[in-house]
Each structure stands twice: as structure tokens, then as C-alpha cells.
Amino acid sequence: MLIKGYVGGVNRMEDSFKRKSPEDILKMITKLQQGTLKIYIGPVSGSGKTYHMLREGNTLRHQGIDVVICAVSTMQRPETVEQLGELERIPSIHWSRWKDGMEMKDLNLDALLARNPEVVLVDGLAHRNRKGARHATRLEDIQYLLRHNISVITTVNVYELEGYTELARQLTGIAAEHTVPADTLELADEVKLIDVTPETVLSRLEEGHLRGHEGEAVFRHGNLGILRELALRLVAEGVNESLREHREEMGITVTTGIMERILVSTQYHWNGSIYIRRGQQIAKRLNGDLHAVTFRNMKQPLTKEATVFRRNMIKMVEKFGGKFEELPVLHRRNIPPTLARYAVQHQITRIVMGHSRHSRWQELWRGSFVNSLLRRVRGVDLFLLADRAQHEGERVLPTRLPDTEMPTYRRLSEQEMKAQIGQIRRGKFKVYIGAAPGVGKTYMMLREGNDLLRKGIDVRIGLLETHNRAETMEQIGQLSIIPREQRTYQGVQLEEMDTEAILRLCPEVVLVDELAHTNVPGGTRQKRYEDVQMLLDAGISVITTVNVQHLESLNDAVEHITGIRVRETVPDQILQMADEVQLIDVAPQALRQRMREGKIYAAAKVEQALGHFFRIGNLIALRELALRELADDVDERLESQERKSALRGPWRRQEAVFVCVSSDEHAERLIRRGFRTAYRLKAVWHVHHVHVGQVMNDEVKCQLKELEQLTVRLGGKFHIHHSQRLRDVPGILAGKASEERATQLVVGQAKRVWWLNGYRGKGTVVSRLVRLSRHMDVLIVADYDYDLSGM
């Protein structure tokens, strides 16, 4: 009936021949005798939870499943009322709340048991029942129905979950009237997020569809953004847990970097607190967990000074909500393997530690700690912290940037004036994003198009790909389709969006599917997003769709997850320039079921898709990637509004990122990592390459040209330098980094990167570069010499 598995969880036995234990069998038999629970979660009332719940109820009814509704509140919202359809209503128990006279609705359990439907739709999971009711809460009512083998679909707001209630109150001032226990979502077989942009909620409020909420603090734009980010991150954490369980079942122990886990390695020393504070800043900026470890010979007592450092460091980690551990070691040589084991056991994605202060000869004699660690870990970045306090007397906390938004009386130049006028005339841009094909992006785009059409707005379809999905084609409704342009390529007749025709017709809004599409060669513009930019510049608003795997900077992460290199990408700045970005969330099991039912691909492609891209592990990881990416986007927008309450906190030190690349295939990954690092730190960033030798052949020139194009697409600057000797490369890069006033160096870890080869006993290029760059942070990017595509 409904799909099992919390937050799109995993049926662990699905792809396994492992014999079931007696406990497994008993648990599965017990589950057969209970109903299924699905929870729609959203940031606020008015986000569309009830709409989607009713819509799913109608879908189940058309499939022959016995569905009823009880205690459902449409709030007289037209689109929600429309979804009631022919669903049977079981009368609820009405009562008036004594403190304000508000009419309330309780579930009529006796009537529901007598009717005994397969599924009940009910609103307001956090509802409190009347005095004298069988149960005090709606959650208890629902559990009662589940025990009687009646499935339930219900709704809840993120700030009604204990654990998020207080955080929401601190950030927004909003106090939930009633709450449900923090572990409530763990009771659900499926949790689905209904994402909504603040602009959409405020539009519904303005149209009078959120009666009774006017003037409430919850509907302030900034608060809507904060609650939205909380919902995204809450569901992402649940998805991450289900991904971890799935990998354990499949015997996969490596990390993917989707959920960041930062490990600070330090000692009981005066700079230990500095390292922990810096690690916390990184963890918070990356929305990751913080771990801190020290190494100690347990046979030797601590000095008084070390005891004080220990106490202060433990208090600091606890204050930051992190985890602190002492790891026992007898000798210095045991530290790298101990640290590596801890990193694997706790799925660490980034190790933060100080630069080595040893000279090259000391490292040759004692061995390099960094090299020893890198040999033992895979898929873990190494972040070496600069000792700025010694180098330039920098304060522990980064200083606040000067306010660049102060009013000015300087007259705008003609170029600046034209740019601002163009921005004013520019059309509105909205993007529907999903974790994979088939989640319903096109469906929602068409639905919004019809909503706008009913409001008297001129909406046309510029490009639509229905893939013969019946549900999607039904949503075309009254929307008119602009005919496609016919193009001939290599003797084959092909079709593309007719951008010039759209410009001539000049509708107010145009719907454009599949933003990442590459146009037929020979046209003026190579990519569909370039067509979209032209439409926006002409004052035409655009609503479009894209999958998370098509974002350029996530290309490596997606390949690492799925084993598939996505060739069609869009620059991240396209998403950043959007006025609204909305996620369409679907649980992986539900998506696979839709695939089996032929609602995504043709029957001939179903089995192949389920065995490759649509594997359960891939879909869970991609879903988490989409949730976290959009949560970061929401936080960036909150931060751009200069709100102090952005969840990741401000990053207040001026940063400059310096990326060192070779000309091989791994250079693209370093460039993308450099971009993502710079974007999160709001830093300028540069990519530098040193060519060794007198002659640069055509193949290298072509590779460097592609790297430059990638860098420019992502908003960076690309530089090429020349050297006659390999030994001079570290000095050239270190010098250029100083010229750029770089605060963070990004280099590659892999053996395959050319500068990791030693020369004449002088040490590796990267080791010399690190020694020359001890006054700045150095990020050594992990080498992924494995993939997770077998999940």
C-alpha cells in the first residue's frame, strides 16, 4: 500500500540473500498486522502539506484502496478544497477550546474502527485532544489506529517537533502551541518534506488563503526562511541515518562527504583551544558534526598545565555540541594509525590539525606525520591550520568585515546605471529542483503555471518533456504550447525550444523544462540555460526544472555516489541567480515504486534503471545531497539579507582561496572543490597551474583551455605559469599565493597528481609547498580511488 522505510528508508533485505534471524521474522510478522504511517512535514502552516496529503489520498482511492478523511482542515484554501474530491469524510468530534473559544476537531475513533478503512487522512499530528478523550494526544490516537491495522497519513510542522521547538523559538521568537516527541519521525514508515519558498507562502497570505494567521511572526520573510532551512536539515539528517544503515548492511564503510563530520586533532597545549574553535567554525559553516581528539600516554600523569588545558578544551567542545575523546597512545609513531582508525569508525570527512613544524630533514629522519596519515585514509580531506598567531599576530576570532553597504552619494556610472535598470526589468526566475528524474518537478511546474493562468497571467509552455507520463500530461490543462523549432543535424530532424518565437510572443511567464539540456549544435546558444538567461533579460519570467546531479560543482560527488559522470551540467550561479528555488522531495522507495509502475521510464528501461542509477543507495544519497544543497542555498539567502540568525553563522574574515592544479583529469575535481570552498566562505578564488618545460603540446593546451572554461563558468580566475624545472614549482606557487594574499591553499592528495612525485631526494613538490605555506590554511583534497556505485 504505502512504502515502508523512515525518510525513504531501506528495506534491508531487498537485495540480500542473508538468512533472516528469528527476531527479524517476528518483527516482520508483527509489522504485517499493523498499519503504515506516513508523515508530511513542512516549515509552516500553508506550505501545502494538507494539499499533498489529500492529493495522495485521491490517488490511492483511484487505485482501489479504501481511503477516508477525518479531522482534516482545509482552511477554505481553494486549491486544498478542490483536492477533497470524492473522498469519504468520517465526522470528527467538534469542541470549543475554553481559553479562546476556538473550534477544535478530534478523531472519532469509534466511528473509524466501525468503518475500518485501509487508510485515514488526518491533519495536525501535534493536536491535543479534549478533556476526557480516550487519549490525550492525536499521536496516541494514530498509534491506536495503527495497532488496529489502519494506515494513517498525517501532517506536522518542523517547529512542532521537540528538539527543534526551542531552536525555532531562539531563532525566530515563535513558540509552538503543542509539540510531539523528538523521535516521532522514527515511528513513521515514510516521511516526505513539502518544501515551499517564503515568496509562495507570503503570496498565499496576501491572497487571503491563510486566514487567521495575519500578523503572526511566523509569516515574516526571514522567519519563513529559517523554518524552511530547519525542515530541510531535519529531513537530511534522517536520510543520512538511513544511508548509514544501508551502507552497513551492504558492507560499505567509506564516507561520501555528503554529511560533513569534522575531526580536530590536537594536544593539551596553549593552541589546542584555537584549533577546536577553528574546527567548530568550519563544522558550523559546513553544517557538519564536530569531533575532537587528543593523544595521551595513559601511563603518565598530566602536568598541572596540561590538566588546565584539558578541562578548558572539554568545556569548549561541549559548548559547541561536539564530541571529545582521549585516544591512548604510547609512542608518536602510533598516532597516525590511531587517528586513521578513529576517522574510519566515525565516518569523518575532514581532519583538522596544525601544520608540522619539522624541517624537511626532521621529517626524513622521524617520518612525515601527514604522509603517514594520508597513506592510511581514503576519502578524507586533510585541513592543515595556519599558525597565524605566530606568523602575523592574528586574533583567534576572525574580525568583522567592514560594512560595504553604507549609503553613498557617489553618482552611478553609465554602465552601473544600465546594469541596475536591466536588473529591474529582468523577469522573475523560479527553479524546481529534485534528487532524480521522476520526482514530480514538471508536474509541479505545470500546476503552478495553471494557477497563474487562472489569476489572469499570460503563461505559455516554452519547452515541455512529459516522457509520456499520464499524470504530467493531465496537468497541461489550459496552458498553450509554443511550437518547437525544427533543426537538421547530420541529416536528422531534431527539435529545440524556439527562443526567438517566445521573444516575439513575449508572454509574462514561460515554462521551460530540463534546464541542463544541451542544444543541437549549430545554434547561437549551446545550452538551454543560456536561452533562459536571454528570456529573463527580455523581461519574461521563467519557471524551470533541474536535478541536483546537474549542478556543476556537484559533478564529482554525484559520480562518486552513482559511478556515473553527468555530462550535462549548469553553473551553480544559475541556481544562485534564481529568485526562488523549491525542492520536490520523494522518498527513494516511493520513487522506485513509481519506476516499477512505468510512471518514469518506458517498460523496456525499467529494470536497467532500477539496477543502476535508481539503486536504493544512490537515491538515498542523492536525496540527502539535494536536501543539504538547498538548505545551504536557503542559508546563503538569509545571510545575504544580513540576518544574524542564519543557521551557519557569519563567516567574518576576508578569505582568498588559491587552488593548485595539474593538467590531468583530477584537476576538475580540485577546481570544483575550490569553488565550493570559496562560495561557502564568500571568498575570492584563483586557480593556478605551472607548466614544466619549454614546449606545451596541443593536448595539454586543450586540457588547460577546458580547465579555464570550467573555472570561469564557476566564477573564478585561471592562471598559467611556466617553469623550466620541477623543483622550482613549489616556490612559484607559494610566491603567487602570497601575491594573491591567499588564506587557504587547495591541493590534491592523489598519487596520480603529477607534483606528488619526488625529485632527487629533495622531497615531494606538495610537501615543499606545504612547508612554504605554513602561514596559511592548506586543504589536501581526498583521493577517491573507489566508488559507491555498487550500492
Side-chain angles (χ1 to χ4, degrees), residues 679-786:
Y679 178 63
R680 293 185 179 198
L681 302 185
K682 301 193 182 312
V684 296
W685 65 292
H686 300 262
V687 179
H688 288 255
H689 169 80
V690 179
H691 177 73
V692 179
Q694 296 181 346
V695 180
M696 185 183 297
N697 61 42
D698 292 340
E699 182 181 356
V700 172
K701 288 180 181 178
C702 182
Q703 290 171 335
L704 293 178
K705 184 65 175 177
E706 291 177 356
L707 295 179
E708 181 178 11
Q709 290 173 348
L710 173 61
T711 303
V712 172
R713 269 203 317 273
L714 292 173
K717 295 182 179 179
F718 192 84
H719 309 267
I720 299 176
H721 313 286
H722 296 269
S723 173
Q724 295 303 314
R725 301 181 301 179
L726 181 62
R727 64 181 301 173
D728 295 333
V729 170
I732 293 172
L733 290 173
K736 293 299 178 182
S738 296
E739 289 179 18
E740 302 283 4
R741 297 189 176 185
T743 59
Q744 186 172 145
L745 200 69
V746 179
V747 297
Q749 168 188 334
K751 297 176 183 177
R752 292 166 292 192
V753 177
W754 58 267
W755 58 45
L756 285 178
N757 297 318
Y759 53 93
R760 296 185 184 180
K762 301 291 185 181
T764 65
V765 175
V766 74
S767 64
R768 290 197 64 209
L769 179 58
V770 169
R771 282 199 296 273
L772 291 171
S773 307
R774 287 173 176 169
H775 59 289
M776 67 180 75
D777 297 335
V778 176
L779 175 62
I780 304 177
V781 177
D783 170 34
Y784 298 111
D785 56 359
Y786 51 81

Side-chain angles (χ1 to χ4, degrees), residues 40 45 50 147 194 201 206 218 379 401 430 446 591 594 714 732 790:
Y40 280 97
S45 297
T50 304
R147 288 194 295 271
I194 301 300
V201 175
E206 185 179 352
V218 70
L401 292 176
K430 181 170 183 177
L446 292 171
L591 193 59
R594 294 189 65 190
L714 292 173
I732 293 172

Side-chain angles (χ1 to χ4, degrees), residues 332 336 353-356 363 367-376 382 384 770 780:
R332 180 184 181 276
M353 57 192 296
H355 275 280
S356 168
E363 288 183 350
S368 168
F369 186 98
V370 171
N371 289 342
S372 179
L373 185 60
L374 291 176
R375 284 196 300 269
R376 288 176 166 85
L382 191 58
L384 305 180
V770 169
I780 304 177

Side-chain angles (χ1 to χ4, degrees), residues 52-84:
H52 285 276
M53 179 180 70
L54 292 172
R55 179 176 153 232
E56 179 169 1
N58 277 296
T59 300
L60 293 174
R61 181 178 171 275
H62 292 148
Q63 293 172 357
I65 296 171
D66 185 12
V67 183
V68 301
I69 64 174
C70 187
V72 170
S73 300
T74 64
M75 304 298 291
Q76 299 304 308
R77 299 165 191 159
E79 55 187 20
T80 307
V81 172
E82 183 182 345
Q83 288 301 313
L84 288 172

Side-chain angles (χ1 to χ4, degrees), residues 281-332:
Q281 291 172 344
I282 295 170
K284 190 169 185 180
R285 195 67 194 164
L286 300 180
N287 278 299
D289 293 337
L290 176 66
H291 296 248
V293 296
T294 60
F295 301 93
R296 178 182 170 187
N297 186 341
M298 297 300 181
K299 295 181 179 180
Q300 298 179 356
L302 293 175
T303 64
K304 290 183 179 180
E305 185 181 47
T307 302
V308 174
F309 287 138
R310 179 180 184 273
R311 182 171 60 249
N312 292 338
M313 290 162 62
I314 291 175
K315 285 183 178 178
M316 180 175 286
V317 174
E318 289 177 348
K319 176 184 176 182
F320 294 149
K323 182 179 181 181
F324 182 89
E325 287 191 51
E326 290 181 321
L327 302 181
V329 294
L330 294 177
H331 303 286
R332 180 184 181 276

Side-chain angles (χ1 to χ4, degrees), residues 8-72:
V10 183
N11 178 358
R12 297 188 186 184
M13 302 301 172
E14 180 181 89
D15 299 313
S16 172
F17 291 100
K18 181 180 177 182
R19 179 179 288 113
K20 300 177 181 67
S21 68
E23 292 79 10
D24 290 332
I25 294 172
L26 180 61
K27 185 177 179 181
M28 294 174 75
I29 293 174
T30 302
K31 191 63 181 175
L32 288 174
Q33 299 170 342
Q34 291 186 355
T36 299
L37 175 62
K38 179 171 182 176
I39 299 175
Y40 280 97
I41 185 170
V44 294
S45 297
S47 56
K49 302 181 297 299
T50 304
Y51 171 94
H52 285 276
M53 179 180 70
L54 292 172
R55 179 176 153 232
E56 179 169 1
N58 277 296
T59 300
L60 293 174
R61 181 178 171 275
H62 292 148
Q63 293 172 357
I65 296 171
D66 185 12
V67 183
V68 301
I69 64 174
C70 187
V72 170

